[in-house]
């Protein structure tokens, strides 16, 4: 294979020619211009090289010919006409003269220039060497090259004392969960769809394998549709012992095991297909000497289980590296020393640069487009609210609550959910009532979910709740189902510097807990964390604190990363979370048993909030039999009272098992104390436990005897009391049974130490929902972000139904008594919002390309390389289609609300999306009818009242229609007196809305600008 053919083959890999049969995601973009890309590689590339060579060759030859003619004239004038032969050569007797030597040197350069075509092949070898070094398995890996011997790579370094760098430093990590989409390819006239019908996260499974595999669906693996499409269905799950043997996956890498499973699946599908032509088609030898169907199966399983990266500025990186490559390897020192004349190598360098830049333009066009899709603010697909009955009464009054009760008994799914969550069977109004007395009716704190009611009911509920209240003020929390970078990116404008505490429990980088590219586990993990922590820092309040929970697999990496993002001076603490006992320890361990995890704490600024925490234990118990209490530091109560920020809490640690006959002595000590509300140790489950109350201690400052009765100990960074053997099985898992969950007791300490009541707490690796549950019970506002299928009310794992995040939070509202509930006297109640966001994969599903002949004519050959994606995707709805905003309550995208299956057209929540883009604190919402639906939203930003008006419209509105529209809008907005009004579509609205003039702005241009970031 020649150098040109070798380079053409590489380009086919770069442009992913092997995906030409795929019909989804980014492959649709590549395949849309496939024929033109093929023409560019097979024909235009060589032609461009020849044109470039001709141009540069002509330039060099013209310059050299001019120099030659000048020296020939000098020779003739000085040495006579006889010095030069008719053929243009110098006669031998003049060769050693100074002028003769100059003549021979220039003539040699002229002859060299004539032979410049010889290096054309070398140019393609140069280009192959350059591009192949950065391409690996579908991605560009930004490794800076360094050509000095012994050093293969360099890193961008600006003189820092310590530089943290990793292989994917300049890339977005884009895959933090298993978001399964249909894998579609075409074989002849047959469309084949691989569809996941069960993608269960097998959390805590008792199956034989911890790894999950794609296996054929048990119930309906194969279906041939009426339009001649073949659907092959898969499950993604762990295997039992019998399946491990059947698939022969006892040993080997995950990839090799999956390929063994694929071989069995292939055999079964081929056996099931009865049509001999289709069977022969799928058995036909394809790439890598694999049958077509088996090749696609292997590619399908690989695509769904590996990570992906998007370069943040591929053009800059490759252009810089191309310049360095040319200077160091095309025009290298070796070349300079070896070659007498450099004209051909200068031409070679120019052609390499010119062709290389063409290819970089195209590659970066594709990469920049993917980056644009990734960074685009995502639509809110769905918004729902969960509110307990008592909060409806508190915020909207008892009369409205009674109206809501009428709706409840028509919502059978709501009643069914209450029963499934263990709230009891509700068949009549009395079943909703906790008690009746002379003061009135006290209703149970049952949570209603607006998803079980109509859109009209939801709008009426929000209108009533916000009649006398600000919506964002009365909302306790927000749950977002989304990949976390996308969620943080969308909410950034609204919550920038407003979150007081961030706690995350990310993947521990064990090699099994998140997806990573082969050879780049640590690098993938750092890219994953860096992308998200950078966004998190922007959201964190100047007085806020970040807590990152890790173990020894990644704490050393994260400490360095946080030093870069937050600053080494903002390191706060490294907390050792002592586990007490290791749940996974072996009978005969091969090393020291791991008994602790690390929580890294960083602050935004040195003006951070910190509430000191102490433990208080009765001195009365010291010295009793079996006493193991280790408090050593005695703090006088008077000095404690002088520091108002010193918040003290009673210890919730494990006490030694005293005999029951000491109960009387304990009660006596309790009666003598001057401390109010204290609960001394009580007998429970065979031991004394000192119950906590999370409130400021009220002490008698004049009672010096108090010092003799209590030890007070400041909590340090070694937390030995969080996990203890006294926790029963149900209390340890707090009713959730999630393997990596942390106890509410742990989160309580994190939250209480860094925030006050009403402050905002964020967890964007929410997992089982412990952070949001704890924050809610402690009176904090909260945001939780999670992409996993355990986000919803429940999910299936290990063959059983388990409580998901949404279900857990509904139980919290109902007043469940697990975790810290008894400690803080939790009684239930609350109001939160939950949302589902558009994902990157959804955006890819909505790509629509539209030919733009005018732009193609205008830009000519450059159109394909630089501009086609910009022009041919301009009217796509995934950014914002202005035409579609004429009907804001019917704006549709193709999305997957579940993690599996084919995307479906779904109406998205355009108003809620715009609220986030503006960064609006939402105060009031009201829906009104005036021949058509109007939605009015009042919010606040930067001290200004902002109203947003949505309504459907069309271009046929008459002047009278616009006049009536204006009058109606003005009347509805008068009570709000906004400073700014946003309205969609045509309008003749004027600033005179009341006593204070308002600035009128149109939604569409603002929406489009903010959406694209």
């Amino acid at each position: 294979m020649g150098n040109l053919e070798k380079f053409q083959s590489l380009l086919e890999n770069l442009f992913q020619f092997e995906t030409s049969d795929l019909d989804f995601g980014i492959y649709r973009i590549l395949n849309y211009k496939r024929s033109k890309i093929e023409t560019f590689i097979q024909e235009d590339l060589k032609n461009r090289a020849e044109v470039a060579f001709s141009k540069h060759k002509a330039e060099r030859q013209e310059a050299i010919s001019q120099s030659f003619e000048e020296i020939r004239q000098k020779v003739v004038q000085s040495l006579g006409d006889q010095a030069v032969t008719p053929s243009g050569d110098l006669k031998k007797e003049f060769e050693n003269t100074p002028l003769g030597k100059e003549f021979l040197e220039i003539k040699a350069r002229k002859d060299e220039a004539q032979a410049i075509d010889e290096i054309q092949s070398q140019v393609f070898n140069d280009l192959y060497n350059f591009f192949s070094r950065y391409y690996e398995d579908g991605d560009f890996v930004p490794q800076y090259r360094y050509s000095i011997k012994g050093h293969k790579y360099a890193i961008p370094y600006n003189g820092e004392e310590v530089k943290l760098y990793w292989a994917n430093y300049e890339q977005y990590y884009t895959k933090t969960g298993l978001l399964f989409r249909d894998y579609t390819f075409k074989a002849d006239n047959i469309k084949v769809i691989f569809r996941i019908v069960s993608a269960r996260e097998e959390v805590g499974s008792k199956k034989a394998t911890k790894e999950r595999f794609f296996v054929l669906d048990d119930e309906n693996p194969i279906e041939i549709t009426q339009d001649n499409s073949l659907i092959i269905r898969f499950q993604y799950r762990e295997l039992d012992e019998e399946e491990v043997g059947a698939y022969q996956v006892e040993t080997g890498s995950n990839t090799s095991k999956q390929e063994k499973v694929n071989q069995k699946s292939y055999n079964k599908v081929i056996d099931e297909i009865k049509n001999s032509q289709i069977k022969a088609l799928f058995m036909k030898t394809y790439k890598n000497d694999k049958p077509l169907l088996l090749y696609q199966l292997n590619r399908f399983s690989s695509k769904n289980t590996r990570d992906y990266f998007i370069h943040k500025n591929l053009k800059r990186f490759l252009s810089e590296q191309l310049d360095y490559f040319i200077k160091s390897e095309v025009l290298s020192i070796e070349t300079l020393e070896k070659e007498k004349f450099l004209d051909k190598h200068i031409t070679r360098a120019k052609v390499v640069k010119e062709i290389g830049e063409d290819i970089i333009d195209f590659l970066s066009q594709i990469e920049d487009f993917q980056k644009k899709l990734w960074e685009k603010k995502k639509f809110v697909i769905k918004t729902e609210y969960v509110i307990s009955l008592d909060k409806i009464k508190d915020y909207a009054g008892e009369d409205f609550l009674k109206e809501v009760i009428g709706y409840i008994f028509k919502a059978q799914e709501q009643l069914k959910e209450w029963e499934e969550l263990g709230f009891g069977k509700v068949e009549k109004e009395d079943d909703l009532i906790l008690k009746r007395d002379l003061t009135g009716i006290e209703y149970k704190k049952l949570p209603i979910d607006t998803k079980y009611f109509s859109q009209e009911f939801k709008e009426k509920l929000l209108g009533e709740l916000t009649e006398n209240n600000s919506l964002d003020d009365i909302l306790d929390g927000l749950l977002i189902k989304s990949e976390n970078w996308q969620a943080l990116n969308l909410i950034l404008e609204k919550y920038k510097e407003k979150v007081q505490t961030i706690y995350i429990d990310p993947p521990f980088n064990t090699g099994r807990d998140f997806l990573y590219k082969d050879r780049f586990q640590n690098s993938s993990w750092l890219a994953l964390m860096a992308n998200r922590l950078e966004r998190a820092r922007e959201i964190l309040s100047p007085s806020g604190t970040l807590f990152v929970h890790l173990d020894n697999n990644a704490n050393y990496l994260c400490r360095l990363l946080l030093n870069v993002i937050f600053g080494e001076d903002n390191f706060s603490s490294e907390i050792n979370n002592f586990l007490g006992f290791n749940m996974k320890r072996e009978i005969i361990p091969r090393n020291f048993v791991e008994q602790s995890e690390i929580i890294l704490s960083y602050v935004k600024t040195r003006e951070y909030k910190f509430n000191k925490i102490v433990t208080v234990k009765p001195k009365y118990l010291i010295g009793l039999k079996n006493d193991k209490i280790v408090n050593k530091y005695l703090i006088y109560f008077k000095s404690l009272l002088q520091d108002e920020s010193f918040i003290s809490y009673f210890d919730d640690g494990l006490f030694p098992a005293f005999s029951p006959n000491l109960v009387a002595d304990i009660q006596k000590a309790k009666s003598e104390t001057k401390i109010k509300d204290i609960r001394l140790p009580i007998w429970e489950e065979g031991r004394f436990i000192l119950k906590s109350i999370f409130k400021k201690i009220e002490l008698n400052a004049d009672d010096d005897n108090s010092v003799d009765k209590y030890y007070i100990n400041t909590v340090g960074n070694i937390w030995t009391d969080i996990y203890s053997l006294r926790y029963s099985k149900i209390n340890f898992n707090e009713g959730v049974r999630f393997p990596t969950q942390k106890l509410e007791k742990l989160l309580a300490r994190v939250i209480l130490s860094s925030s006050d009541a009403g402050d905002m707490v964020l967890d964007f690796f929410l997992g089982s929902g412990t952070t949001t549950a704890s924050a809610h019970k402690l009176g904090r506002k909260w945001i939780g972000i999670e992409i996993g299928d355990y986000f919803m009310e429940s999910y299936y794992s290990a063959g059983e139904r388990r409580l998901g995040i949404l279900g857990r939070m509904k139980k919290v509202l109902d007043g469940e008594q697990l975790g810290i509930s008894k400690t803080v006297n939790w009684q239930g109640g609350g109001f939160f919002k939950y949302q589902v966001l558009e994902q990157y994969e959804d955006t890819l599903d909505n790509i629509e390309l539209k030919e733009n002949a005018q732009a193609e004519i205008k830009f000519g050959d450059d159109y394909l390389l630089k501009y086609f994606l910009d022009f041919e995707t301009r009217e796509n709805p995934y950014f914002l289609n202005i035409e579609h905003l004429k009907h804001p309550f019917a704006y549709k995208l193709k999305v997957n609300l579940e993690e599996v299956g084919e995307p479906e057209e779904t109406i998205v929540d355009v108003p809620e999306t715009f609220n986030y883009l503006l960064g609006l604190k939402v105060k009031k919402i009201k829906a009104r009818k005036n021949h058509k639906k109007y939605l009015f939203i009042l919010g606040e930003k930067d001290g200004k009242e902002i109203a947003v008006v949505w309504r459907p419209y069309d271009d046929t509105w008459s002047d009278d229609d616009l006049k009536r529209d204006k009058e109606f809008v003005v009347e509805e907005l008068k009570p709000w007196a906004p400073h700014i009004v946003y309205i969609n579509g045509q309008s003749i609205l004027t600033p005179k809305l009341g006593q204070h003039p308002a600035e009128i702005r149109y939604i569409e241009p603002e929406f489009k600008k903010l959406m694209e970031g």
Side-chain angles (χ1 to χ4, degrees):
M1 181 184 294
N3 289 336
L4 172 61
E5 291 76 17
K6 185 172 66 171
F7 182 53
Q8 287 171 329
S9 178
L10 173 66
L11 289 180
E12 289 176 357
N13 284 329
L14 293 181
F15 297 143
Q16 301 188 47
F17 269 35
E18 79 279 2
T19 67
S20 60
D21 51 351
L22 300 187
D23 189 31
F24 61 92
I26 199 69
Y27 305 112
R28 290 174 55 225
I29 295 175
L30 294 168
N31 294 332
Y32 181 72
K33 294 287 185 180
R34 179 66 62 197
S35 61
K36 291 187 177 180
I37 296 172
E38 285 186 35
T39 300
F40 169 75
I41 292 174
Q42 298 300 329
E43 299 175 19
D44 296 352
L45 181 65
K46 185 177 180 182
N47 294 337
R48 279 176 177 253
E50 289 175 351
V51 168
F53 263 106
S54 298
K55 179 180 69 174
H56 295 302
K57 176 181 175 180
E59 290 172 355
R60 301 302 300 171
Q61 285 181 336
E62 182 179 353
I64 294 170
S65 295
Q66 185 175 346
S67 297
F68 179 73
E69 183 58 28
E70 290 173 357
I71 190 64
R72 194 186 71 80
Q73 291 294 336
K74 285 184 182 180
V75 168
V76 169
Q77 290 171 7
S78 300
L79 304 177
D81 290 339
Q82 72 279 10
V84 179
T85 68
S87 62
D89 292 325
L90 185 69
K91 288 187 177 179
K92 197 168 184 67
E93 58 266 30
F94 299 106
E95 288 181 355
N96 290 323
T97 65
L99 201 56
K101 290 179 181 179
E102 186 178 353
F103 176 92
L104 291 174
E105 182 176 342
I106 293 176
K107 185 175 187 304
R109 287 180 59 198
K110 183 173 181 290
D111 295 340
E112 181 81 8
Q114 295 289 344
I116 204 167
D117 293 336
E118 298 171 3
I119 63 165
Q120 193 170 138
S121 175
Q122 195 169 349
V123 165
F124 293 116
N125 189 58
D126 292 333
L127 290 167
Y128 175 86
N129 289 336
F130 174 75
F131 284 102
S132 63
R133 62 179 52 177
Y134 302 107
Y135 179 80
E136 181 176 299
D137 194 23
D139 276 320
F140 276 94
V141 180
Q143 294 174 320
Y144 286 82
R145 289 287 170 148
Y146 199 63
S147 65
I148 294 177
K149 293 178 181 178
H151 298 277
K152 190 174 183 180
Y153 302 107
I155 65 170
Y157 174 68
N158 293 312
E160 303 93 331
E161 181 183 2
V162 176
K163 174 71 174 180
L164 177 63
Y165 191 78
W166 56 92
N168 306 107
Y169 185 84
E170 295 179 318
Q171 293 179 298
Y172 284 119
Y173 181 93
T174 64
K175 192 164 185 174
T176 57
L178 298 174
L179 294 174
F180 298 110
R181 295 294 191 269
D182 284 357
Y183 176 100
T184 306
F185 69 94
K186 293 177 181 176
D188 289 352
N189 64 336
I190 299 174
K191 183 178 182 179
V192 183
I193 303 169
F194 294 163
R195 179 165 295 166
I196 313 294
V197 295
S198 176
R200 300 170 185 165
E201 297 281 351
E202 296 291 332
V203 177
S205 172
K206 295 180 181 178
K207 295 270 181 102
T209 61
K210 292 182 180 179
E211 306 99 333
R212 285 162 287 168
F213 298 96
F214 293 96
V215 296
L216 285 174
D217 182 40
D218 299 328
E219 297 180 1
N220 186 21
I222 300 169
E223 176 188 354
I224 297 180
T225 64
Q226 291 181 349
D227 63 353
N228 205 32
S229 293
L230 174 65
I231 300 175
I232 303 176
R233 296 183 176 87
F234 296 87
Q235 298 174 7
Y236 186 61
R237 58 176 175 78
E238 299 170 10
L239 306 179
D240 59 31
E241 291 182 2
E242 184 177 339
E243 289 172 322
V244 168
Y247 289 119
Q248 299 176 348
V249 292
E250 294 89 345
T251 59
S253 67
N254 285 2
T255 301
S256 65
K257 289 179 182 179
Q258 180 63 65
E259 288 179 353
K260 290 177 183 178
V261 175
N262 291 346
Q263 182 67 57
K264 298 285 186 181
S265 299
Y266 165 77
N267 294 339
K268 185 172 182 179
V269 171
I270 292 298
D271 289 343
E272 291 286 328
I273 295 175
K274 306 305 179 187
N275 185 305
S276 59
Q277 289 183 324
I278 296 177
K279 181 179 291 193
L281 175 65
F282 289 149
M283 293 177 67
K284 182 176 66 176
T285 301
Y286 198 58
K287 298 176 182 178
N288 300 333
D289 294 325
K290 300 282 187 185
L292 170 62
L293 184 63
L294 181 58
Y295 170 82
Q296 296 288 5
L297 276 171
N298 288 336
R299 190 164 62 169
F300 156 75
S301 59
S302 172
K303 172 194 172 296
N304 272 300
T305 55
R306 73 174 190 187
D307 56 6
Y308 291 86
F309 296 92
I310 295 174
H311 203 288
K312 295 177 182 178
N313 195 333
L314 184 63
K315 182 169 183 175
R316 185 201 65 203
F317 169 75
L318 287 177
S319 296
E320 289 175 354
Q321 288 292 284
L322 181 61
D323 285 344
Y324 184 79
F325 172 81
I326 289 171
K327 292 170 185 175
S328 63
E329 299 191 32
V330 177
L331 298 175
S332 64
I333 292 294
E334 288 82 0
T335 301
L336 296 175
E337 291 175 343
K338 182 175 65 175
E339 299 286 347
K340 186 175 182 181
F341 305 114
L342 295 176
D343 297 283
K344 68 178 181 181
H345 292 291
I346 291 173
T347 300
R348 168 190 164 199
K350 287 184 175 182
V351 177
V352 167
K353 183 176 178 63
E354 193 169 313
I355 301 298
E357 286 178 345
D358 281 344
I359 295 163
I360 289 171
D361 280 339
F362 187 83
L363 292 171
S364 60
Q365 181 187 185
I366 300 293
E367 196 80 0
D368 288 348
F369 184 70
Q370 293 183 76
K371 177 193 169 190
K372 189 177 180 181
L373 300 185
W374 174 259
E375 291 182 340
K376 169 193 95 77
K377 301 292 197 299
K378 301 300 185 286
F379 279 99
V380 177
I381 302 299
K382 176 183 177 183
T383 301
E384 301 294 351
Y385 295 85
V386 177
I387 185 168
S388 56
L389 299 182
D390 64 308
K391 293 300 180 183
I392 297 177
K393 180 181 175 181
D394 291 347
Y395 300 142
E398 189 167 359
D399 288 342
F400 181 66
L401 174 58
K402 289 181 178 178
E403 186 179 339
V404 169
I405 289 171
Y407 285 101
I408 287 173
F409 287 100
K410 296 176 184 177
Q412 292 301 311
E413 289 298 311
Q414 179 67 86
L415 300 177
K416 180 182 176 184
E417 178 186 276
W418 284 346
E419 188 174 359
E420 289 176 346
L421 288 173
F423 303 157
K425 200 163 188 175
V426 175
E427 297 178 318
K428 55 188 183 301
E429 187 172 346
D430 282 351
D431 296 331
L432 301 173
I433 297 172
L434 187 63
K435 66 178 181 179
R436 278 192 181 95
D437 55 29
L438 294 177
T439 62
I441 300 173
E442 182 180 347
Y443 287 89
K444 294 178 181 177
K445 298 181 179 179
L446 292 167
I448 69 164
D449 187 335
T450 57
K451 76 177 177 181
Y452 297 124
F453 301 82
S454 67
Q455 180 68 19
E456 290 72 22
F457 169 82
K458 178 165 46 174
E459 290 165 352
K460 182 175 179 61
L461 173 68
L462 293 174
E464 294 288 341
L465 292 172
T466 60
E467 180 70 28
N468 300 305
N469 305 283
S470 167
L471 180 59
D472 279 354
D473 285 343
I474 63 176
L475 277 168
D476 297 302
L478 168 64
L479 287 177
I480 302 177
K481 188 176 193 299
S482 170
E483 187 279 326
N484 48 20
W485 192 91
Q486 299 298 339
L488 293 170
N489 193 43
L490 178 64
I491 70 174
L492 175 62
E493 187 63 28
K494 179 168 183 172
Y495 293 104
K496 191 170 186 177
E497 296 200 332
K498 289 184 173 64
V499 171
Q500 181 60 33
T501 301
I502 298 177
Y503 169 88
I504 57 171
D505 181 20
F508 278 9
N509 194 31
T510 63
R512 301 182 303 276
D513 53 0
F514 81 108
L515 303 169
Y516 64 93
K517 184 178 287 294
D518 291 343
R519 300 196 303 108
F520 293 116
Q521 178 180 335
N522 289 336
S523 178
S524 295
W525 190 86
L526 281 165
L528 159 75
M529 295 299 295
N531 298 163
R532 286 142 190 85
L533 287 169
E534 287 162 354
R535 277 286 183 264
R537 187 184 181 280
E538 296 180 79
I539 288 174
L540 192 63
S541 160
S543 63
T545 305
L546 166 80
F547 297 87
V548 184
H549 198 134
L550 297 163
D551 69 1
N552 57 9
N553 287 289
N555 59 357
Y556 64 101
L557 292 172
C558 198
R559 177 77 178 266
L560 293 171
L561 180 63
L562 289 169
N563 282 348
V564 173
I565 296 173
F566 280 79
E568 192 171 351
D569 291 342
N570 288 321
F571 168 74
S572 176
S573 186
E574 183 172 286
I575 299 162
N576 192 310
N577 181 36
F578 180 65
L579 301 178
F581 61 95
N582 189 333
M583 297 167 62
K584 303 182 227 177
R585 64 184 169 191
E586 304 168 41
I587 297 176
I588 305 177
R590 299 186 63 183
N591 208 329
F592 297 110
V593 176
E594 294 292 336
Q595 290 185 290
S596 66
E597 294 171 347
I598 294 298
I599 301 175
L600 294 174
S601 169
Y602 277 73
V603 295
K604 179 79 169 279
T605 70
R606 298 314 296 175
E607 301 300 318
Y608 61 94
K609 182 183 293 184
F610 178 67
N611 298 320
K612 301 172 187 175
I613 296 183
V614 299
T615 59
V616 180
K617 296 186 180 181
K619 199 174 179 184
Y620 180 79
L621 297 177
I622 298 298
L624 294 179
K625 184 179 179 181
N626 297 326
D627 188 2
K628 300 294 184 184
I629 301 173
V630 293
N631 291 291
K632 295 179 181 178
Y633 303 103
L634 185 63
I635 302 175
Y636 287 89
F637 290 152
K638 285 183 180 179
S639 64
L640 172 63
L641 288 175
Q642 290 170 2
D643 184 355
E644 292 183 356
S645 69
F646 201 94
I647 300 177
S648 308
Y649 306 104
F650 294 102
D651 182 49
D652 196 13
L654 176 66
F655 271 71
F658 301 113
S659 59
N661 61 6
L662 290 174
V663 173
D665 293 332
I666 298 297
Q667 294 302 323
K668 181 181 178 182
K670 180 178 179 180
S671 67
E672 292 176 351
T673 183
K674 296 296 180 71
I675 296 180
K676 300 175 183 178
D677 297 327
I678 189 171
R679 299 179 222 168
L680 288 183
I682 63 171
W683 188 257
E684 180 177 303
E685 298 178 1
R687 54 181 58 84
F688 282 104
I689 299 168
L690 187 64
K691 289 290 182 179
S692 304
I693 55 174
F694 289 78
K695 62 191 294 186
K696 196 166 184 177
I697 299 177
E698 299 177 39
L699 301 169
N700 185 341
D702 298 324
D703 184 6
D704 291 330
N705 293 328
S706 297
V707 176
D708 297 328
K709 294 179 180 177
Y710 294 90
Y711 275 121
I712 301 178
N713 182 32
T714 305
V715 171
N717 71 330
I718 300 178
W719 293 0
T720 59
D721 58 331
I722 298 299
Y723 293 86
S724 56
L725 291 168
R726 76 172 178 83
Y727 273 81
S728 65
K729 185 175 181 181
I730 190 168
N731 204 26
F732 188 83
N733 65 54
E734 294 170 343
V736 180
R737 297 188 63 201
F738 195 86
T740 61
Q741 79 184 82
K742 304 303 181 284
L743 293 181
E744 289 184 12
K745 183 178 173 183
L746 172 69
L747 268 299
R749 180 167 293 175
V750 165
I751 292 167
L752 288 164
S753 68
S754 58
S755 68
D756 295 325
D759 285 341
M760 183 76 73
V761 176
L762 165 66
D763 186 342
F764 52 89
F765 284 97
L766 186 56
S768 65
T770 300
T771 303
T772 53
S774 304
H776 192 88
K777 294 174 185 179
L778 293 170
R780 274 62 173 170
K781 290 184 176 293
W782 46 267
I783 302 172
I785 300 169
E786 180 55 61
I787 186 61
D789 60 354
Y790 35 88
F791 177 92
M792 304 311 290
E793 284 82 4
S794 61
Y795 64 99
Y796 282 91
S797 179
E800 63 182 27
R801 192 174 183 180
R802 295 188 179 182
L803 191 66
I805 296 168
L806 193 53
R808 180 177 187 176
M809 292 310 300
K810 289 177 179 179
K811 290 177 79 72
V812 168
L813 264 59
D814 185 58
E816 56 90 357
Q817 291 299 295
L818 295 170
I820 62 171
S821 293
K822 292 179 182 178
T823 298
V824 301
N825 194 28
W826 174 244
Q827 299 298 311
F831 178 29
F832 69 86
K833 173 168 69 176
Y834 69 93
Q835 295 176 313
V836 179
L837 302 189
E838 171 199 11
Q839 297 301 291
Y840 174 62
E841 289 82 0
D842 294 322
T843 308
L844 291 173
D845 285 336
N846 284 279
I847 293 172
E848 296 173 5
L849 293 105
K850 186 176 180 180
E851 293 279 1
N852 192 316
Q854 290 183 335
E856 191 162 0
I857 293 170
K858 177 181 177 181
F859 293 105
D861 293 341
D862 286 340
Y863 180 72
L864 176 69
L865 298 177
K866 298 180 181 180
Y867 305 113
F868 91 88
L869 281 173
D870 179 43
F871 281 94
E872 298 186 9
T873 61
R874 285 187 175 183
E875 297 178 11
N876 273 212
Y878 61 81
F879 275 120
L880 187 71
N881 188 302
I882 302 298
E883 279 294 305
H884 290 193
L885 276 191
K886 290 180 178 178
H887 304 281
F889 311 122
Y891 195 108
K892 292 183 178 180
L893 289 176
K894 289 183 289 186
V895 297
N896 271 64
L897 290 176
E898 304 297 333
E899 292 187 350
V900 299
E902 189 173 7
E904 297 179 0
E905 274 207 329
T906 304
I907 294 175
V908 303
D909 194 337
V910 168
E912 190 70 8
T913 305
F914 191 59
N915 291 344
Y916 279 124
L917 297 181
L918 286 179
L920 201 63
K921 177 186 176 182
V922 179
K923 300 171 77 171
K924 298 184 182 298
I925 296 178
K926 61 181 179 180
R928 296 289 187 265
K929 283 279 184 76
N930 181 33
H931 304 297
K932 58 181 66 63
K933 175 181 171 181
Y934 282 70
L935 185 68
F936 298 90
I937 299 169
L938 178 67
E940 181 269 329
K941 185 183 181 185
D942 299 333
K944 292 185 177 181
E945 299 285 299
I946 299 174
V948 185
V949 183
W950 296 95
R951 76 276 196 260
Y953 75 94
D954 59 58
D955 297 329
T956 63
W957 277 16
S958 66
D959 291 343
D960 287 340
D961 291 329
L962 290 169
K963 183 179 178 182
R964 284 192 295 269
D965 172 71
K966 173 187 172 182
E967 291 170 351
F968 181 72
V969 170
V970 168
E971 191 64 28
E972 290 294 334
L973 292 182
K974 263 185 185 178
W976 291 354
H979 299 96
I980 299 170
V981 176
Y982 284 95
I983 188 166
N984 71 308
Q986 272 187 299
S987 172
I988 58 171
L989 202 61
T990 59
K992 295 180 181 180
L993 297 176
Q995 293 181 345
H996 304 287
E999 180 184 350
I1000 309 301
R1001 298 179 183 177
Y1002 289 94
I1003 287 175
E1004 288 82 354
E1006 191 78 3
F1007 204 137
K1008 192 168 185 66
K1009 180 182 73 175
L1010 294 172
M1011 195 77 171
E1012 296 183 15

